Amino acid sequence: MMRREVVIFNIFSLVGTLGLSAVLFSYAAVPEEKRLAASQPQPMEAFSDVDLGPDYGQVPVMELVGYYLENPPVKATGTAPVKRHFGGC
């Protein structure tokens, strides 16, 4: 008796989960044209300006890439590793 109830519950749970997934899939799916546009590289000129906050305002992507190429990030060397503290008892 108990085994049959467990099997029935599992079947209904599986059917309910698959049904709910089928109904909600259309809301989670990316439209075909947007997916195709995202799969191809875009030129820098196509991007809109980036808002860097009240200090810098709107900055074009071309300017950000130029700054990055002129001033690449430098990895800090010779510094002591950060000591991590974990909470607990």
Side-chain angles (χ1 to χ4, degrees):
M1 177 81 168
M2 184 66 133
R3 177 163 168 77
R4 189 174 75 166
E5 291 172 349
V6 169
V7 170
I8 291 172
F9 173 77
N10 286 338
I11 290 172
F12 280 137
S13 296
L14 185 60
V15 169
T17 301
L18 292 175
L20 187 62
S21 297
V23 169
L24 296 177
F25 179 78
S26 62
Y27 296 107
V30 176
E32 185 70 18
E33 57 273 354
K34 190 171 186 178
R35 186 188 64 79
L36 289 174
S39 67
Q40 299 174 355
Q42 302 295 318
M44 287 187 291
E45 295 84 12
F47 290 103
S48 60
D49 293 349
V50 179
D51 186 14
L52 296 180
D55 293 335
Y56 299 102
Q58 299 282 338
V59 178
V61 174
M62 289 286 290
E63 192 174 317
L64 288 174
V65 171
Y67 180 81
Y68 177 79
L69 291 175
E70 292 173 6
N71 306 299
V74 179
K75 186 175 182 180
T77 58
T79 59
V82 176
K83 188 173 185 178
R84 304 214 184 264
H85 300 282
F86 294 100
C89 298

Coordinates of all heavy atoms in Angstrom, one line a residue:
M1 N 0.8 -1.2 0.0 CA 0.0 0.0 0.0 C 0.9 1.3 0.0 O 0.7 2.2 -0.8 CB -0.9 0.0 1.2 CG -1.8 1.2 1.4 SD -3.2 1.1 0.3 CE -4.1 2.4 0.9
M2 N 1.9 1.3 0.9 CA 2.7 2.5 1.0 C 3.5 2.7 -0.2 O 3.7 3.8 -0.7 CB 3.6 2.3 2.2 CG 4.4 3.6 2.5 SD 3.4 5.0 2.9 CE 4.3 5.6 4.3
R3 N 4.0 1.6 -0.8 CA 4.9 1.7 -2.0 C 4.1 2.3 -3.2 O 4.6 3.1 -3.9 CB 5.4 0.4 -2.4 CG 6.3 0.4 -3.6 CD 7.1 -0.8 -3.7 NE 7.7 -1.0 -5.0 CZ 8.7 -0.3 -5.5 NH1 9.3 0.6 -4.8 NH2 9.2 -0.6 -6.7
R4 N 2.8 1.9 -3.3 CA 2.0 2.4 -4.4 C 1.7 3.9 -4.3 O 1.7 4.7 -5.2 CB 0.7 1.7 -4.5 CG -0.2 2.0 -5.7 CD -1.4 1.1 -5.8 NE -2.3 1.6 -4.8 CZ -3.6 1.3 -4.8 NH1 -4.0 0.4 -5.6 NH2 -4.4 1.7 -3.9
E5 N 1.5 4.4 -3.1 CA 1.3 5.8 -2.8 C 2.5 6.6 -3.2 O 2.4 7.7 -3.7 CB 0.9 6.1 -1.4 CG -0.5 5.5 -1.0 CD -0.7 5.6 0.5 OE1 0.2 5.9 1.3 OE2 -1.9 5.3 0.9
V6 N 3.7 6.1 -2.8 CA 4.9 6.8 -3.1 C 5.1 6.9 -4.6 O 5.5 8.0 -5.2 CB 6.1 6.1 -2.5 CG1 7.4 6.6 -3.0 CG2 6.0 6.2 -1.0
V7 N 4.8 5.8 -5.4 CA 5.0 5.8 -6.8 C 4.0 6.8 -7.4 O 4.4 7.6 -8.3 CB 4.8 4.4 -7.4 CG1 4.8 4.4 -8.9 CG2 6.0 3.5 -6.9
I8 N 2.8 6.8 -7.0 CA 1.8 7.8 -7.5 C 2.2 9.2 -7.2 O 2.1 10.1 -8.1 CB 0.4 7.4 -6.9 CG1 -0.1 6.1 -7.5 CG2 -0.6 8.5 -7.2 CD1 -1.4 5.6 -6.8
F9 N 2.7 9.5 -6.0 CA 3.1 10.8 -5.7 C 4.3 11.2 -6.6 O 4.3 12.4 -7.1 CB 3.6 10.9 -4.2 CG 4.2 12.2 -3.9 CD1 3.4 13.3 -3.7 CD2 5.6 12.3 -3.7 CE1 4.0 14.5 -3.3 CE2 6.2 13.5 -3.4 CZ 5.4 14.6 -3.2
N10 N 5.2 10.3 -6.8 CA 6.4 10.7 -7.7 C 5.9 10.9 -9.1 O 6.4 11.8 -9.8 CB 7.4 9.5 -7.7 CG 8.2 9.5 -6.4 OD1 8.3 10.5 -5.7 ND2 8.7 8.4 -6.1
I11 N 5.0 10.2 -9.6 CA 4.5 10.3 -11.0 C 3.8 11.7 -11.1 O 4.0 12.4 -12.1 CB 3.6 9.2 -11.4 CG1 4.5 7.9 -11.6 CG2 2.8 9.5 -12.7 CD1 3.6 6.7 -11.9
F12 N 2.9 12.0 -10.2 CA 2.2 13.3 -10.2 C 3.2 14.5 -10.1 O 3.0 15.5 -10.7 CB 1.1 13.3 -9.2 CG -0.1 12.6 -9.5 CD1 -0.8 11.8 -8.6 CD2 -0.7 12.8 -10.8 CE1 -2.0 11.2 -9.0 CE2 -1.9 12.1 -11.2 CZ -2.5 11.3 -10.2
S13 N 4.2 14.3 -9.2 CA 5.2 15.4 -9.1 C 5.9 15.6 -10.4 O 6.2 16.7 -10.8 CB 6.2 15.0 -8.0 OG 5.5 15.0 -6.7
L14 N 6.3 14.5 -11.0 CA 7.0 14.6 -12.3 C 6.2 15.2 -13.4 O 6.6 16.1 -14.1 CB 7.5 13.2 -12.7 CG 8.4 13.2 -14.0 CD1 9.7 14.0 -13.8 CD2 8.7 11.7 -14.3
V15 N 4.9 14.8 -13.5 CA 4.0 15.4 -14.5 C 3.8 16.8 -14.2 O 3.8 17.7 -15.1 CB 2.7 14.6 -14.5 CG1 1.6 15.3 -15.3 CG2 3.0 13.2 -15.1
G16 N 3.6 17.2 -13.0 CA 3.3 18.6 -12.6 C 4.5 19.5 -12.9 O 4.4 20.6 -13.4
T17 N 5.7 19.0 -12.6 CA 7.0 19.7 -12.9 C 7.2 19.9 -14.4 O 7.5 21.0 -14.8 CB 8.2 19.0 -12.3 OG1 8.0 18.9 -10.9 CG2 9.4 19.8 -12.5
L18 N 7.0 18.9 -15.1 CA 7.1 19.0 -16.6 C 6.1 19.9 -17.2 O 6.3 20.7 -18.1 CB 7.1 17.6 -17.2 CG 8.3 16.7 -16.9 CD1 8.1 15.3 -17.5 CD2 9.6 17.3 -17.4
G19 N 4.8 19.8 -16.7 CA 3.8 20.7 -17.2 C 4.0 22.1 -16.9 O 3.9 23.0 -17.7
L20 N 4.5 22.4 -15.7 CA 4.8 23.8 -15.3 C 6.0 24.3 -16.1 O 6.0 25.5 -16.6 CB 5.1 23.8 -13.8 CG 5.3 25.2 -13.2 CD1 4.1 26.0 -13.3 CD2 5.8 25.1 -11.8
S21 N 7.0 23.5 -16.4 CA 8.1 23.9 -17.2 C 7.6 24.2 -18.6 O 8.1 25.1 -19.2 CB 9.2 22.8 -17.2 OG 9.7 22.5 -15.9
A22 N 6.7 23.4 -19.2 CA 6.3 23.6 -20.5 C 5.5 24.9 -20.6 O 5.6 25.6 -21.6 CB 5.4 22.4 -21.0
V23 N 4.7 25.2 -19.6 CA 3.9 26.5 -19.6 C 4.8 27.7 -19.5 O 4.6 28.7 -20.2 CB 2.9 26.4 -18.5 CG1 2.2 27.8 -18.3 CG2 1.8 25.4 -18.8
L24 N 5.8 27.6 -18.6 CA 6.7 28.8 -18.4 C 7.8 28.9 -19.3 O 8.5 29.9 -19.3 CB 7.2 28.7 -16.9 CG 6.2 28.8 -15.8 CD1 6.8 28.6 -14.5 CD2 5.4 30.1 -15.9
F25 N 8.1 27.9 -20.2 CA 9.2 28.0 -21.1 C 9.1 29.2 -22.1 O 10.1 29.8 -22.3 CB 9.3 26.7 -21.9 CG 10.4 26.7 -22.9 CD1 11.7 26.5 -22.5 CD2 10.2 27.0 -24.2 CE1 12.8 26.5 -23.4 CE2 11.3 27.0 -25.1 CZ 12.6 26.8 -24.7
S26 N 7.9 29.5 -22.5 CA 7.8 30.6 -23.5 C 8.2 32.0 -22.8 O 8.7 32.9 -23.5 CB 6.4 30.7 -24.0 OG 5.5 31.0 -22.9
Y27 N 8.1 32.1 -21.5 CA 8.4 33.3 -20.8 C 10.0 33.4 -20.6 O 10.5 34.5 -20.5 CB 7.7 33.5 -19.5 CG 6.2 33.6 -19.6 CD1 5.4 32.5 -19.3 CD2 5.7 34.7 -20.1 CE1 4.0 32.6 -19.4 CE2 4.3 34.8 -20.2 CZ 3.5 33.8 -19.9 OH 2.1 33.9 -20.0
A28 N 10.6 32.3 -20.6 CA 12.1 32.2 -20.3 C 12.9 32.2 -21.6 O 14.1 32.5 -21.6 CB 12.4 31.0 -19.4
A29 N 12.3 31.8 -22.7 CA 13.0 31.7 -24.0 C 13.4 33.0 -24.5 O 12.7 34.0 -24.5 CB 12.2 30.9 -25.0
V30 N 14.6 33.1 -25.1 CA 15.1 34.3 -25.8 C 14.6 34.3 -27.2 O 14.6 33.2 -27.9 CB 16.6 34.3 -25.8 CG1 17.2 35.5 -26.5 CG2 17.1 34.3 -24.4
P31 N 14.0 35.4 -27.7 CA 13.5 35.4 -29.1 C 14.7 35.1 -30.1 O 15.8 35.4 -29.9 CB 13.1 36.8 -29.3 CG 12.8 37.4 -27.9 CD 13.8 36.7 -27.0
E32 N 14.3 34.5 -31.2 CA 15.3 34.0 -32.2 C 16.1 35.1 -32.7 O 17.4 35.0 -32.8 CB 14.5 33.3 -33.3 CG 15.4 32.6 -34.4 CD 16.2 31.4 -33.8 OE1 15.7 30.9 -32.8 OE2 17.2 31.1 -34.4
E33 N 15.6 36.3 -33.1 CA 16.4 37.4 -33.6 C 17.4 37.9 -32.6 O 18.5 38.3 -33.0 CB 15.5 38.5 -34.2 CG 14.5 39.1 -33.3 CD 13.2 38.4 -33.2 OE1 13.0 37.4 -33.9 OE2 12.4 38.7 -32.3
K34 N 17.0 38.0 -31.4 CA 17.9 38.4 -30.3 C 19.0 37.4 -30.1 O 20.2 37.8 -29.9 CB 17.1 38.7 -29.0 CG 17.9 39.4 -28.0 CD 17.0 39.8 -26.8 CE 17.7 40.6 -25.8 NZ 16.9 41.1 -24.7
R35 N 18.7 36.1 -30.1 CA 19.7 35.1 -30.0 C 20.7 35.2 -31.1 O 21.9 35.1 -30.9 CB 19.1 33.7 -29.9 CG 20.0 32.6 -29.6 CD 19.4 31.3 -29.7 NE 19.0 30.9 -31.1 CZ 19.8 30.5 -32.0 NH1 21.1 30.4 -31.8 NH2 19.3 30.3 -33.2
L36 N 20.2 35.3 -32.3 CA 21.1 35.4 -33.5 C 22.0 36.7 -33.4 O 23.2 36.6 -33.8 CB 20.3 35.4 -34.8 CG 19.7 34.0 -35.1 CD1 18.9 34.2 -36.4 CD2 20.8 33.0 -35.3
A37 N 21.4 37.8 -33.0 CA 22.2 39.0 -32.9 C 23.3 38.9 -31.8 O 24.4 39.4 -31.9 CB 21.3 40.2 -32.5
A38 N 23.0 38.2 -30.7 CA 24.0 38.0 -29.7 C 25.1 37.0 -30.0 O 26.2 37.1 -29.4 CB 23.3 37.5 -28.4
S39 N 24.9 36.2 -31.0 CA 25.9 35.2 -31.4 C 26.9 35.8 -32.4 O 27.9 35.1 -32.6 CB 25.2 34.0 -32.0 OG 24.6 34.3 -33.2
Q40 N 26.7 37.0 -32.9 CA 27.6 37.6 -33.8 C 28.3 38.8 -33.2 O 27.6 39.6 -32.5 CB 26.9 38.0 -35.1 CG 26.3 36.9 -35.8 CD 25.4 37.4 -37.0 OE1 25.2 38.6 -37.2 NE2 24.9 36.4 -37.8
P41 N 29.6 38.9 -33.4 CA 30.3 40.1 -32.8 C 29.7 41.4 -33.4 O 29.4 41.5 -34.5 CB 31.8 39.9 -33.2 CG 31.9 38.5 -33.8 CD 30.5 38.1 -34.1
Q42 N 29.7 42.4 -32.5 CA 29.1 43.7 -32.9 C 30.3 44.7 -32.9 O 31.2 44.6 -32.1 CB 28.1 44.2 -31.9 CG 26.9 43.2 -31.8 CD 26.1 43.1 -33.1 OE1 25.9 44.1 -33.7 NE2 25.7 41.9 -33.4
P43 N 30.3 45.7 -33.8 CA 31.3 46.7 -33.8 C 31.2 47.6 -32.6 O 30.0 47.8 -32.0 CB 31.1 47.5 -35.1 CG 29.7 47.2 -35.4 CD 29.3 45.9 -34.9
M44 N 32.3 48.2 -32.1 CA 32.2 49.1 -30.9 C 31.3 50.3 -31.1 O 30.7 50.8 -30.2 CB 33.6 49.6 -30.6 CG 34.5 48.6 -30.0 SD 36.0 49.2 -29.4 CE 36.8 49.7 -30.9
E45 N 31.2 50.7 -32.4 CA 30.3 51.9 -32.7 C 28.8 51.6 -32.4 O 28.0 52.5 -32.2 CB 30.5 52.4 -34.1 CG 31.9 52.9 -34.4 CD 32.9 51.8 -34.7 OE1 32.5 50.6 -34.9 OE2 34.1 52.0 -34.7
A46 N 28.5 50.3 -32.5 CA 27.1 50.0 -32.3 C 26.6 50.0 -30.9 O 25.4 50.1 -30.6 CB 26.8 48.6 -32.9
F47 N 27.5 50.0 -29.9 CA 27.2 50.0 -28.5 C 26.8 51.4 -28.0 O 27.4 52.4 -28.5 CB 28.3 49.5 -27.6 CG 28.5 48.0 -27.8 CD1 29.6 47.6 -28.5 CD2 27.7 47.1 -27.2 CE1 29.8 46.2 -28.7 CE2 27.9 45.8 -27.3 CZ 29.0 45.3 -28.1
S48 N 25.9 51.5 -27.1 CA 25.5 52.8 -26.6 C 26.5 53.3 -25.5 O 27.3 52.4 -25.1 CB 24.1 52.8 -26.0 OG 24.1 51.8 -24.9
D49 N 26.5 54.5 -25.2 CA 27.4 55.0 -24.2 C 27.2 54.3 -22.8 O 26.1 53.9 -22.5 CB 27.3 56.5 -24.0 CG 27.7 57.3 -25.2 OD1 28.3 56.7 -26.1 OD2 27.4 58.5 -25.3
V50 N 28.3 54.3 -22.0 CA 28.2 53.6 -20.7 C 28.1 54.7 -19.7 O 28.9 55.6 -19.7 CB 29.4 52.7 -20.5 CG1 29.4 52.1 -19.1 CG2 29.5 51.7 -21.6
D51 N 27.2 54.5 -18.7 CA 27.1 55.5 -17.6 C 28.0 55.1 -16.5 O 27.9 54.1 -15.9 CB 25.7 55.6 -17.1 CG 25.4 56.6 -16.1 OD1 26.3 57.5 -16.0 OD2 24.4 56.6 -15.4
L52 N 29.0 56.0 -16.2 CA 30.0 55.7 -15.2 C 29.7 56.5 -13.9 O 30.6 56.7 -13.1 CB 31.4 56.0 -15.7 CG 31.9 55.2 -16.8 CD1 33.3 55.6 -17.2 CD2 31.9 53.7 -16.5
G53 N 28.5 56.9 -13.7 CA 28.1 57.6 -12.5 C 28.2 59.1 -12.6 O 28.6 59.7 -13.7
P54 N 28.0 59.8 -11.5 CA 28.0 61.3 -11.5 C 29.4 61.9 -11.7 O 29.5 63.0 -12.2 CB 27.4 61.6 -10.2 CG 27.7 60.5 -9.3 CD 27.6 59.3 -10.2
D55 N 30.4 61.1 -11.4 CA 31.8 61.7 -11.6 C 32.2 61.8 -13.0 O 32.8 62.8 -13.4 CB 32.8 60.9 -10.8 CG 32.6 61.0 -9.3 OD1 32.0 62.0 -8.9 OD2 33.0 60.0 -8.6
Y56 N 31.9 60.8 -13.9 CA 32.3 60.8 -15.2 C 31.2 60.9 -16.3 O 31.4 61.3 -17.4 CB 33.1 59.5 -15.5 CG 34.3 59.4 -14.6 CD1 34.3 58.6 -13.5 CD2 35.5 60.1 -14.9 CE1 35.4 58.5 -12.7 CE2 36.6 60.0 -14.1 CZ 36.6 59.2 -13.0 OH 37.7 59.1 -12.2
G57 N 30.0 60.6 -15.9 CA 28.8 60.7 -16.8 C 28.8 59.6 -17.9 O 29.3 58.5 -17.7
Q58 N 28.3 60.0 -19.0 CA 28.2 59.0 -20.2 C 29.6 59.0 -20.9 O 30.1 60.1 -21.3 CB 27.1 59.5 -21.1 CG 25.7 59.5 -20.5 CD 25.1 58.1 -20.4 OE1 25.5 57.2 -21.1 NE2 24.2 57.9 -19.5
V59 N 30.1 57.8 -21.1 CA 31.4 57.7 -21.8 C 31.2 56.7 -22.9 O 30.7 55.6 -22.8 CB 32.5 57.1 -20.8 CG1 33.8 57.0 -21.5 CG2 32.6 58.1 -19.6
P60 N 31.7 57.1 -24.2 CA 31.6 56.2 -25.3 C 32.4 54.9 -25.1 O 33.5 55.0 -24.5 CB 32.0 57.0 -26.5 CG 32.1 58.4 -26.0 CD 32.2 58.4 -24.5
V61 N 32.0 53.8 -25.7 CA 32.8 52.6 -25.6 C 34.1 52.7 -26.2 O 35.1 52.1 -25.7 CB 31.9 51.4 -26.2 CG1 32.7 50.1 -26.2 CG2 30.7 51.2 -25.4
M62 N 34.2 53.4 -27.3 CA 35.5 53.6 -28.0 C 36.5 54.3 -27.1 O 37.7 53.9 -27.1 CB 35.3 54.5 -29.2 CG 34.6 53.9 -30.4 SD 35.5 52.7 -31.3 CE 36.7 53.7 -32.1
E63 N 36.1 55.2 -26.3 CA 37.0 55.9 -25.3 C 37.4 54.9 -24.2 O 38.6 54.9 -23.8 CB 36.3 57.1 -24.7 CG 37.2 58.0 -24.0 CD 36.5 59.3 -23.5 OE1 35.7 59.8 -24.3 OE2 36.7 59.7 -22.4
L64 N 36.5 54.1 -23.7 CA 36.9 53.1 -22.7 C 37.9 52.1 -23.2 O 38.8 51.7 -22.5 CB 35.6 52.4 -22.2 CG 34.6 53.2 -21.4 CD1 33.4 52.4 -21.1 CD2 35.3 53.6 -20.1
V65 N 37.7 51.6 -24.4 CA 38.6 50.6 -25.0 C 40.0 51.3 -25.2 O 41.0 50.7 -25.0 CB 38.0 50.0 -26.3 CG1 39.1 49.2 -27.1 CG2 36.8 49.2 -26.1
G66 N 40.0 52.5 -25.7 CA 41.2 53.2 -25.9 C 42.0 53.4 -24.6 O 43.2 53.2 -24.5
Y67 N 41.3 53.8 -23.5 CA 41.9 53.9 -22.2 C 42.5 52.6 -21.7 O 43.6 52.6 -21.2 CB 40.9 54.5 -21.2 CG 41.5 54.7 -19.8 CD1 42.2 55.8 -19.5 CD2 41.3 53.7 -18.9 CE1 42.8 56.0 -18.3 CE2 41.8 53.9 -17.6 CZ 42.6 55.0 -17.3 OH 43.1 55.1 -16.1
Y68 N 41.7 51.5 -21.9 CA 42.2 50.2 -21.5 C 43.5 49.8 -22.3 O 44.4 49.2 -21.7 CB 41.1 49.2 -21.7 CG 41.5 47.8 -21.4 CD1 41.6 47.3 -20.1 CD2 41.9 46.9 -22.4 CE1 42.0 46.1 -19.7 CE2 42.3 45.6 -22.0 CZ 42.3 45.2 -20.7 OH 42.7 43.9 -20.4
L69 N 43.5 50.1 -23.6 CA 44.7 49.7 -24.4 C 45.9 50.6 -24.0 O 47.0 50.1 -24.0 CB 44.4 49.9 -25.8 CG 43.4 48.9 -26.4 CD1 43.1 49.2 -27.9 CD2 43.9 47.5 -26.3
E70 N 45.7 51.8 -23.6 CA 46.8 52.7 -23.2 C 47.2 52.4 -21.8 O 48.4 52.6 -21.4 CB 46.4 54.1 -23.3 CG 46.2 54.6 -24.7 CD 45.7 56.0 -24.8 OE1 45.5 56.7 -23.8 OE2 45.4 56.4 -26.0
N71 N 46.3 52.0 -20.9 CA 46.6 51.7 -19.5 C 46.1 50.4 -19.1 O 45.1 50.3 -18.4 CB 45.9 52.8 -18.6 CG 46.3 54.2 -19.0 OD1 47.4 54.6 -19.0 ND2 45.3 55.0 -19.5
P72 N 46.8 49.3 -19.5 CA 46.3 48.0 -19.1 C 46.3 47.7 -17.6 O 47.2 48.3 -17.0 CB 47.2 47.0 -19.9 CG 48.4 47.8 -20.2 CD 48.0 49.2 -20.3
P73 N 45.5 46.9 -17.1 CA 45.5 46.7 -15.6 C 46.8 45.9 -15.3 O 47.3 45.1 -16.0 CB 44.3 45.8 -15.4 CG 43.9 45.3 -16.7 CD 44.4 46.2 -17.7
V74 N 47.4 46.3 -14.2 CA 48.7 45.7 -13.7 C 48.4 44.9 -12.5 O 47.7 45.3 -11.6 CB 49.7 46.8 -13.3 CG1 51.0 46.2 -12.8 CG2 49.9 47.8 -14.5
K75 N 48.9 43.6 -12.6 CA 48.7 42.7 -11.5 C 49.7 43.1 -10.4 O 50.9 43.2 -10.6 CB 48.9 41.3 -11.9 CG 48.6 40.3 -10.9 CD 48.7 38.9 -11.4 CE 48.4 37.9 -10.3 NZ 48.4 36.5 -10.7
A76 N 49.2 43.2 -9.2 CA 50.0 43.6 -8.0 C 51.0 42.5 -7.7 O 50.5 41.3 -7.6 CB 49.2 44.0 -6.8
T77 N 52.3 42.8 -7.6 CA 53.2 41.7 -7.2 C 54.0 42.2 -6.0 O 54.1 43.4 -5.7 CB 54.3 41.5 -8.4 OG1 54.9 42.8 -8.7 CG2 53.6 41.0 -9.6
G78 N 54.5 41.2 -5.2 CA 55.2 41.5 -4.1 C 54.4 41.9 -2.9 O 55.0 42.3 -1.8
T79 N 53.1 41.9 -2.9 CA 52.3 42.2 -1.8 C 52.0 40.9 -1.0 O 51.9 39.8 -1.6 CB 51.0 42.9 -2.2 OG1 50.3 42.0 -3.1 CG2 51.2 44.2 -2.9
A80 N 51.8 41.0 0.2 CA 51.4 39.9 1.1 C 50.1 39.4 0.7 O 49.2 40.2 0.4 CB 51.5 40.3 2.5
P81 N 49.9 38.1 0.7 CA 48.5 37.6 0.4 C 47.5 38.0 1.4 O 47.9 38.1 2.6 CB 48.7 36.1 0.3 CG 50.0 35.8 1.1 CD 50.8 37.0 0.9
V82 N 46.3 38.2 1.0 CA 45.3 38.6 1.9 C 44.9 37.4 2.9 O 44.7 36.3 2.4 CB 44.0 39.0 1.1 CG1 42.9 39.3 2.1 CG2 44.3 40.1 0.2
K83 N 45.0 37.7 4.1 CA 44.7 36.7 5.1 C 43.2 36.6 5.3 O 42.5 37.6 5.6 CB 45.3 37.0 6.4 CG 45.2 35.9 7.5 CD 46.1 36.2 8.7 CE 46.0 35.0 9.6 NZ 46.8 35.2 10.8
R84 N 42.6 35.5 5.0 CA 41.2 35.3 5.1 C 40.8 34.7 6.5 O 41.4 33.8 7.0 CB 40.7 34.3 4.0 CG 41.1 34.8 2.6 CD 40.1 34.4 1.6 NE 40.5 34.8 0.3 CZ 40.2 35.9 -0.3 NH1 39.5 36.8 0.2 NH2 40.7 36.1 -1.6
H85 N 39.7 35.3 7.0 CA 39.2 34.9 8.3 C 37.8 34.3 8.1 O 37.0 34.9 7.5 CB 39.1 36.1 9.3 CG 40.5 36.7 9.5 ND1 41.4 36.2 10.4 CD2 41.0 37.8 9.0 CE1 42.5 37.0 10.4 NE2 42.2 38.0 9.6
F86 N 37.6 33.1 8.6 CA 36.3 32.5 8.5 C 35.7 32.5 9.8 O 36.3 32.3 10.9 CB 36.5 31.0 8.0 CG 37.0 30.9 6.6 CD1 38.3 30.7 6.3 CD2 36.1 31.1 5.5 CE1 38.8 30.6 5.0 CE2 36.6 31.0 4.2 CZ 37.9 30.8 4.0
G87 N 34.4 32.8 9.8 CA 33.6 32.8 11.1 C 33.4 31.4 11.6 O 33.7 30.4 10.9
G88 N 33.0 31.3 12.8 CA 32.7 30.0 13.4 C 32.5 30.1 14.8 O 32.4 31.2 15.4
C89 N 32.7 29.0 15.5 CA 32.5 29.0 17.0 C 33.7 29.6 17.7 O 34.8 29.5 17.3 CB 32.3 27.6 17.4 SG 30.9 26.8 16.8

